[in-house]
Amino acid sequence: MVPEFLHPWLAIATTVSVFVTLQVTRRIPIDLLFLLALVFLVLTGVLSPAVAISGFASRAVLAISALLVVAAGLRSTGVLDWIGNALLGDVKSEGPALRRIAGPIVASSAFILNTALVAMMMPVLIDWCRQRNLSPSKLLLPLSYLTILGGVCTLIGTSTTLVVNDQLRLSHTAMQAEVEHLQEETPLNAAAIASRQTALPYVAPMGFFEIGMVGLPCAIAGTLFLMFVGQKLLPGSPDLIEQLGDQRREYLVEMQVLPECRLVNKTVEVAGLRNLHGLYLIEIDRNGDIITPVAPGDQIRSGDRLVFTGVVSTIVDLEKIPGLVPAADQTYEFNPSSRQQRHMTEVVLSRTSPLIGSTVRQANFRALYNAAVIAVHRNGMRLTNKIGNIELEPGDTLLLQTRGDFIAQHRNSRDFYLVSSVEGAEPRRHDRALLAAGLMSVLILWMTLAALLGGGGLADPAIAALSIAALMVLLQCVKSSDARAAIDLQVVVTIAAALGLGSALWQSGAASMIAEALVQIVGPHPYLLLVVIYLLAMIFTEMITNAAVAALLLPIAIAVAIEGDLNPRPFIMAIALAASLSFLTPIGYQTNLMVMGPGGYKPRDYLVAGIPLALIVATTALVLIPLVWPLTLGP
């Protein structure tokens, strides 16, 4: 334990140390680093154990965990694949992709909490980048920034504005009580009573679109910067591209186009079959008529057999397209409910395999192994024969659709040199897609109503997210094992520990000490005071949680405005905007943390792209706030 007067300084030093360590090295996992900082503050007495672990039970952490499960349900049913295809279409590079998604993301984030949007869109963008051998680092941080920008367009876009509104309700009630007290106890103090009565209407709760009068121009300015300049400041992370790829082992695969497939009557180029990384369309077999070489303008028809060579991840992507099924083995199971019980497995045939010398069609994999052949690879050679006619040889690698117990049963079989599962090849439950989309719609409506009703009881966003996540599992939109795997413990632990660090700065008095000192230095200059309040909130929101910044600075700003006979409204809006717009650090906002690992970002990447974005948004806000809400009180 250390003396109490040192607590603020310890809290500040610990927070700064975390920032510096994140910048200098990536050897320490980010969640472990935050936990170590939290433990240090508990051991030194700055935080009580109960407060330190309270972040793990916070509504934000519970909501994020549940939203990750909901996103897994949307992914498992193919809803996210449909959204990604609808948004990105035939886009081939990161710049056009960002311009394509920017508008829908900003518009959606005005009505959907940012964490939900990022949890849903992140896997879509990662898959899109992997298919095209592009780096997700060019898109994931802009995704986070776009949701943050859209969140300040309405009252319910971000949790920070909801916190500000609750604080305004409390402040309005407290001011009314103060006026009544002054009138009863000190009726001669007319000046104090008048100043509070004049300011009282300006401390009322916000309207639904009120913050959007400045938030929308900020969102437009920030979006334009990201689309045309900001993305160029982000790293390409070529090492990350390699992590997302797989070994260059090319398979021959034959896919049949069913009547309900969305590719029917589209050209090869429009269907996106020329853009998939590691894929080459060799020929189209149309009722015995062979189209080869395949031109970009060739149309795909129902019943066509498409012959590809491609890496295993590409074949997994092809299988996720509804109505496109492997045609090499007629025993392939493509009924959605039955496919859930089957998995994709790679095997290498041994010299003693009874299949050697027979063709794929003659091998009868269903009878021997309860499996179906999807694709064939042979020692780096590009096979051009029909898969069913390929005569199997020792060392051939086969991609199979198998039962879940296949690996356990055949791992030590003399028929195979190697048996291994294929990651990311989980079959889609397309028959549950409409149900999953309906549940997501209910969640959006529920969370919107929760925001309007004040967020208590069943109107709590965390309760809404947990309920829909449970229904996703119960109604088989996502398997329970996949739901558990969807919860990213590093993200959850980091956010929970970051909330604890924010509590340390707040409860130790460090944040209040800094805020009051800065406000006293500025003096009674209205616009300068507005700038300082905005910058103070902007800096603090990069170090502690947005809600804590709003709750801490809002009473100070209102008191300063009243003492200076100024309008509290512009100061209130400055805090609501600045506390919501966090671009400079990974811990400044939950979505910034969520994309850090998948995007391979370092803290300096946030500074390089975030500083100019923050300056543009701050300039826009500080120019417009006094125009929309005058600094001085009206007559």
Side-chain angles (χ1 to χ4, degrees):
M1 296 294 178
V2 298
E4 191 170 341
F5 74 90
L6 290 177
H7 287 182
W9 301 106
L10 273 176
I12 293 171
T14 304
T15 305
V16 171
S17 298
V18 169
F19 291 160
V20 172
T21 305
L22 282 172
Q23 181 63 45
V24 172
T25 180
R26 293 293 297 275
R27 292 183 180 179
I28 305 177
I30 185 171
D31 51 343
L32 177 60
L33 181 61
F34 275 90
L35 282 176
L36 289 173
L38 204 59
V39 169
F40 173 75
L41 292 175
V42 171
L43 293 177
T44 53
V46 176
L47 273 181
S48 67
V51 173
I53 65 173
S54 62
F56 291 88
S58 73
R59 292 190 294 183
V61 169
L62 293 175
I64 290 169
S65 301
L67 289 170
L68 291 172
V69 173
V70 172
L74 296 173
R75 183 183 179 89
S76 177
T77 55
V79 173
L80 291 188
D81 298 331
W82 180 86
I83 292 173
N85 183 70
L87 282 178
L88 297 170
D90 56 353
V91 175
K92 299 179 177 64
S93 60
E94 300 100 326
L98 180 59
R99 290 190 285 274
R100 185 75 68 88
I101 68 173
I105 292 296
V106 171
S108 300
S109 61
F111 301 94
I112 305 173
L113 286 181
N114 308 346
T115 47
L117 265 183
V118 173
M120 288 187 294
M121 288 304 302
M122 193 161 56
V124 172
L125 294 179
I126 290 173
D127 281 350
W128 182 85
C129 289
R130 178 177 51 76
Q131 292 165 7
R132 288 155 181 80
N133 200 30
L134 300 174
S135 173
S137 60
K138 289 287 188 181
L139 289 175
L140 294 187
L141 191 54
L143 169 67
S144 175
Y145 286 168
L146 288 170
T147 61
I148 292 171
L149 288 167
V152 294
C153 294
T154 68
L155 176 64
I156 64 170
T158 174
S159 58
T160 311
T161 51
L162 299 177
V163 171
V164 169
N165 220 34
D166 285 340
Q167 286 290 109
L168 285 177
R169 289 192 185 96
L170 295 173
S171 299
H172 192 265
T173 302
M175 282 184 63
Q176 282 181 321
E178 188 179 5
V179 168
E180 292 173 2
H181 175 74
L182 287 172
Q183 288 173 336
E184 292 175 2
E185 299 296 328
T186 56
L188 297 178
N189 194 352
I193 294 173
S195 65
R196 282 157 177 77
Q197 284 180 326
T198 305
L200 195 57
Y202 299 99
V203 190
M206 288 189 288
F208 192 83
F209 291 106
E210 183 180 5
I211 194 172
M213 290 189 286
V214 173
L216 182 57
C218 288
I220 293 172
T223 300
L224 291 173
F225 168 78
L226 285 172
M227 287 194 300
F228 298 106
V229 179
Q231 189 181 51
K232 298 176 182 178
L233 302 177
L234 293 170
S237 299
D239 56 326
L240 196 63
I241 296 175
E242 295 176 6
Q243 293 173 20
L244 294 174
D246 48 21
Q247 294 180 346
R248 300 295 301 180
R249 182 167 59 245
E250 289 191 340
Y251 282 92
L252 182 72
V253 60
E254 188 176 347
M255 308 294 288
Q256 183 170 5
V257 181
L258 301 182
E260 65 270 20
C261 182
R262 62 176 171 80
L263 306 183
V264 172
N265 296 327
K266 291 184 178 180
T267 65
V268 171
E269 186 162 19
V270 171
L273 298 182
R274 291 178 59 85
N275 300 326
L276 294 173
H277 171 56
L279 178 75
Y280 182 73
L281 180 56
I282 297 175
E283 67 179 37
I284 300 176
D285 183 347
R286 184 168 294 157
N287 297 322
D289 293 333
I290 306 300
I291 301 173
T292 186
V294 180
D298 288 334
Q299 275 198 332
I300 298 169
R301 306 282 175 81
S302 174
D304 282 354
R305 290 175 175 250
L306 312 179
V307 182
F308 299 92
T309 59
V311 295
V312 66
S313 62
T314 306
I315 297 169
V316 170
D317 293 329
L318 288 175
E319 271 216 314
K320 292 173 183 175
I321 300 175
L324 193 64
V325 298
D329 193 330
Q330 295 301 312
T331 64
Y332 175 86
E333 181 60 70
F334 57 86
N335 180 274
S337 58
S338 301
R339 281 186 65 194
Q340 287 294 300
Q341 308 303 319
R342 305 188 73 80
H343 303 272
M344 200 175 286
T345 306
E346 285 184 295
V347 300
V348 180
L349 297 181
S350 71
R351 294 186 179 275
T352 58
S353 172
L355 305 175
I356 301 302
S358 62
T359 65
V360 170
R361 186 174 290 109
Q362 296 168 345
N364 198 5
F365 274 81
R366 175 69 70 178
L368 289 174
Y369 305 108
N370 193 15
V373 178
I374 297 174
V376 180
H377 162 80
R378 177 170 293 163
N379 297 328
M381 297 171 55
R382 174 167 284 184
L383 298 171
T384 57
N385 199 1
K386 293 288 186 182
I387 297 183
N389 298 331
I390 292 175
E391 189 172 298
L392 297 173
E393 299 178 0
D396 283 353
T397 304
L398 308 181
L399 196 61
L400 305 177
Q401 184 195 52
T402 66
R403 296 284 297 182
D405 56 0
F406 179 89
I407 293 178
Q409 290 182 358
H410 298 283
R411 178 179 288 116
N412 299 316
S413 170
R414 297 181 61 192
D415 296 352
F416 308 111
Y417 286 136
L418 179 68
V419 179
S420 64
S421 61
V422 176
E423 293 185 8
E426 295 78 12
R428 297 292 193 243
R429 284 300 304 264
H430 295 297
D431 58 323
R432 291 285 192 273
L434 288 178
L435 178 59
L439 287 173
M440 186 62 207
S441 301
V442 171
L443 177 60
I444 292 171
L445 180 61
W446 192 344
M447 295 183 82
T448 302
L449 292 175
L452 295 175
L453 295 174
L458 291 177
D460 191 318
I463 296 298
L466 287 168
S467 300
I468 298 301
L471 286 174
M472 283 279 190
V473 177
L474 186 64
L475 297 176
Q476 299 179 1
C477 294
V478 60
K479 292 187 291 187
S480 57
S481 58
D482 292 340
R484 286 190 291 269
I487 300 174
D488 191 330
L489 284 180
Q490 185 181 53
V491 170
V492 170
V493 170
T494 302
I495 292 173
L499 290 172
L501 282 183
S503 298
L505 284 172
W506 192 358
Q507 294 193 2
S508 68
S512 179
M513 180 178 69
I514 297 170
E516 290 178 2
L518 286 176
V519 170
Q520 286 177 3
I521 292 170
V522 174
H525 306 288
Y527 189 74
L528 185 57
L529 191 57
L530 178 70
V531 172
V532 170
I533 288 290
Y534 186 97
L535 294 178
L536 194 62
M538 185 178 78
I539 293 169
F540 269 40
T541 199
E542 304 296 347
M543 296 189 293
I544 60 179
T545 62
N546 312 70
V549 171
L552 172 69
L553 293 184
L554 197 65
I556 297 174
I558 292 173
V560 168
I562 291 173
E563 291 300 322
D565 289 327
L566 301 173
N567 182 1
R569 206 65 175 177
F571 297 94
I572 291 167
M573 293 301 173
I575 288 174
L577 287 164
S580 302
L581 298 168
S582 170
F583 308 114
L584 304 182
T585 65
I587 67 168
Y589 202 82
Q590 296 156 356
T591 56
N592 288 347
L593 269 177
M594 291 171 70
V595 302
M596 186 176 186
Y601 299 114
K602 295 182 179 180
R604 65 171 174 267
D605 297 327
Y606 291 78
L607 292 174
V608 170
I611 287 177
L613 176 59
L615 290 176
I616 289 171
V617 172
T619 302
T620 305
L622 290 171
V623 168
L624 293 178
I625 287 174
L627 298 178
V628 178
W629 302 282
L631 288 169
T632 56
L633 291 168

